[in-house]
C-alpha cells in the first residue's frame, strides 16, 4: 500500500537535535541516519512541524539533579515513574539545536517541550503529568490537519509517546519506522511498539510514503 499524502496530513519530525545524534549527550544509536531520510520525506508533505526537547538547566529528568542517582535508573516523581537521563537538550545549548544537516526550512511550527524544570515531556502533545497540554492538538485541529506522520528520535520515547497521545486526541497516526531510531533501554523499544499497536498507530516504511498527486 502506498501512503499518498494530502493537504490534511502533516509530518512531525521529532527531536532531531545534536544531543540525540552521535557525539551528543544522549546519543541515539544511528540517530544521524534518520536526518537525510526525514529531509527527503519532508518534501512529500504539504505541512511539516518540528519538535524540540527543551529542558531548563537542572531539569528533574537529569540524573545530575538527584545526588547518588545514575543515568538510566528509574525514580518516582510526583507524576509517576521517571527514567533519569544524562543532561541533554538544555535550553540554548548546542546540544539542543537541530542538527545542521536537517534541511526543512519550510517547517511551519516548532513545538518545544520539557521546558518546565519539574515536569518531563516525551510527548509533543501532553507533559508527563498526563494533564498539561502543549497546544499541538489544538493547533492541528484549527488548521484542519487530521493525519500525523511521525519520524525522528527516539522511537521508544518521544516518538512513541507522541504517537499514543495523538491517537488519544483523535488523530490518525502513522509512524515511519525507518526514519526513526531507538534508545532501547530495558526492553523499551518492544514495549513502545506494542503500546503503539494497541492504540491503533500504523507503522510504515518511508519508501511507501508518496507526495500528493498535485502539489499544493
Ligand atoms: C527523549 C529521552 C529524554 C526523546 C527526550 O527525544 O526521545 N528521550 N528526552
Ligand atoms: Zn529530554
Amino acid at each position: 500500500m502506498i501512503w499518498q499524502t494530502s493537504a490534511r496530513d502533516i509530518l512531525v519530525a521529532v527531536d532531531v537535535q545534536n544531543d540525540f545524534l552521535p557525539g551528543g549527550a544522549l546519543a541515539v544509536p544511528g540517530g544521524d541516519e534518520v536526518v537525510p531520510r526525514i529531509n527527503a520525506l519532508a518534501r512529500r508533505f504539504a505541512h511539516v512541524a518540528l519538535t524540540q526537547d527543551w529542558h531548563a538547566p537542572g531539569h528533574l529528568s537529569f540524573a545530575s539533579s538527584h545526588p547518588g542517582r545514575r543515568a538510566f535508573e528509574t525514580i518516582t516523581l510526583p507524576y509517576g515513574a521517571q527514567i533519569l537521563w544524562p543532561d541533554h537538550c538544555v535550553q540554548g545549548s548546542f546540544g539542543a539545536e537541530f542538527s545542521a544537516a536537517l534541511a526543512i526550512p519550510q517547517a511551519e511550527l516548532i513545538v518545544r517541550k520539557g521546558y518546565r524544570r519539574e515536569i518531563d515531556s516525551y510527548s509533543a502533545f501532553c507533559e508527563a503529568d498526563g494533564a498539561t497540554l502543549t497546544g499541538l492538538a489544538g493547533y492541528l485541529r484549527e488548521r484542519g490537519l487530521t493525519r500525523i506522520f511521525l519520524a525522528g528520535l527516539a522511537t521508544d520515547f518521544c516518538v512513541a509517546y507522541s504517537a499514543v497521545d495523538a491517537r488519544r486526541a483523535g488523530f490518525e497516526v502513522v509512524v515511519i519506522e525507518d526514519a526513526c531510531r531507538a534508545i532501547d533501554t530495558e526492553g523499551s523499544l518492544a514495549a513502545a511498539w506494542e503500546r503503539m499497536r494497541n492504540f491503533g498507530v500504523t507503522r510504515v516504511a518511508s519508501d511507501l510514503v508518496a507526495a500528493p498527486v498535485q502539489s499544493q
Side-chain angles (χ1 to χ4, degrees), residues 15 20 26 53 55 85 88 122 153-154 157-158 183:
D15 297 3
F20 296 122
L26 180 45
D53 213 35
H55 297 311
W85 304 107
H88 66 280
Y122 299 144
L153 307 170
F157 290 95
C158 291
I183 295 173

Side-chain angles (χ1 to χ4, degrees), residues 7 24 93 103 109 176:
S93 68
L109 176 74
I176 307 169

Side-chain angles (χ1 to χ4, degrees), residues 15 19-20 26 52-67 69-71 73 75 77-91 93 96 112-123 126-129 132 158:
D15 297 3
D19 269 341
F20 296 122
L26 180 45
Q52 191 170 29
D53 213 35
W54 196 250
H55 297 311
H59 196 265
L60 284 193
S61 74
F62 296 170
S64 63
S65 301
H66 305 273
R69 298 290 184 167
R70 279 190 306 231
E73 284 181 24
I75 62 162
L77 289 179
Y79 54 77
Q82 173 70 53
I83 300 177
L84 296 176
W85 304 107
D87 289 25
H88 66 280
C89 298
V90 174
Q91 295 165 4
S93 68
R112 288 176 168 170
K113 58 187 180 61
Y115 47 79
R116 266 183 267 275
R117 189 181 164 275
E118 294 75 23
I119 312 183
D120 205 359
S121 189
Y122 299 144
S123 165
C126 183
E127 297 185 9
D129 61 1
T132 309
C158 291

Side-chain angles (χ1 to χ4, degrees), residues 108 123 136 186:
E108 297 167 7
S123 165
L136 179 56
E186 300 190 0

Side-chain angles (χ1 to χ4, degrees), residues 103-184:
I104 315 182
Q106 72 274 32
E108 297 167 7
L109 176 74
I110 296 171
V111 182
R112 288 176 168 170
K113 58 187 180 61
Y115 47 79
R116 266 183 267 275
R117 189 181 164 275
E118 294 75 23
I119 312 183
D120 205 359
S121 189
Y122 299 144
S123 165
F125 291 87
C126 183
E127 297 185 9
D129 61 1
T132 309
L133 301 177
T134 64
L136 179 56
Y139 172 90
L140 297 173
R141 271 189 214 112
E142 281 197 359
R143 300 202 54 214
L145 301 169
T146 56
R147 192 167 62 168
I148 303 167
F149 287 72
L150 289 165
L153 307 170
T155 322
D156 40 349
F157 290 95
C158 291
V159 173
Y161 279 75
S162 297
V164 166
D165 281 352
R167 288 293 299 143
R168 283 186 168 132
F171 297 97
E172 282 182 68
V173 181
V174 180
V175 171
I176 307 169
E177 183 172 6
D178 56 307
C180 299
R181 289 292 182 278
I183 295 173
D184 202 10

Side-chain angles (χ1 to χ4, degrees), residues 185-207:
T185 172
E186 300 190 0
S188 57
L189 181 59
W193 281 123
E194 172 71 5
R195 193 166 157 72
M196 288 191 274
R197 198 172 61 79
N198 290 338
F199 274 87
V201 173
T202 302
R203 183 171 168 172
V204 303
S206 58
D207 58 1

